[in-house]
Amino acid sequence: QVHLVESGGGSVQVGGSLRLSCSTSGDTVRTYCMTWFRQAPGKEREAVAGIYIPNGRTYYAGSVKGRFTISHDNTEDTVYLQMNSLTLEDTAKYFCAAGGLVACRPMQGPYDLWGQGTQVTVSS
């Protein structure tokens, strides 16, 4: 089976930056949507950034626009989330998800693969 593996999380101070990576392992499969989600203990899971691979269009939640950037490499097997100007509200566990249907929507899915998540902690 195919799995997604996130990396790059850690602890940073307010105003700092982190770059998260999401890589595919196992058998190679075609993916059309890749999306970063986050969930904090006191909040619902939310989609923060997504990309539709065939045309490269990106989508962002209003809370991260201008600070976060989603991208993918030329082999389309890794997606990144560059996070700048981090705030306390960005503290959460971040997950990546992939959708294998051509009609998937980057911020809605459907998704058939999920990673285990990587923790991001922002402190002052």
Side-chain angles (χ1 to χ4, degrees):
Q1 291 186 337
V2 179
H3 299 88
L4 300 179
V5 180
E6 302 98 333
S7 63
S11 299
V12 298
Q13 292 183 306
V14 170
S17 299
L18 282 175
R19 190 190 190 198
L20 307 183
S21 300
C22 176
S23 299
T24 301
S25 63
D27 294 337
T28 301
V29 297
R30 182 78 176 267
T31 60
Y32 291 88
C33 293
M34 297 197 76
T35 307
W36 285 99
F37 290 82
R38 69 184 181 188
Q39 186 167 29
K43 297 183 178 181
E44 289 292 319
R45 184 183 67 188
E46 63 173 335
V48 297
I51 184 169
Y52 189 70
I53 300 299
N55 60 17
R57 291 184 65 181
T58 58
Y59 304 81
Y60 298 93
S63 59
V64 306
K65 282 184 178 179
R67 300 188 299 118
F68 291 10
T69 303
I70 187 171
S71 61
H72 65 95
D73 66 8
N74 59 355
T75 61
E76 301 183 14
D77 61 355
T78 303
V79 65
Y80 303 94
L81 185 67
Q82 179 67 47
M83 306 185 295
N84 298 325
S85 302
L86 287 163
T87 71
L88 297 177
E89 289 72 27
D90 294 318
T91 294
K93 193 169 186 179
Y94 285 72
F95 303 84
C96 65
L101 295 177
V102 68
C104 66
R105 305 184 72 168
M107 301 290 275
Q108 294 179 274
Y111 306 104
D112 49 3
L113 290 173
W114 289 84
Q116 295 299 308
T118 184
Q119 180 68 38
V120 171
T121 302
V122 185
S123 61
S124 61

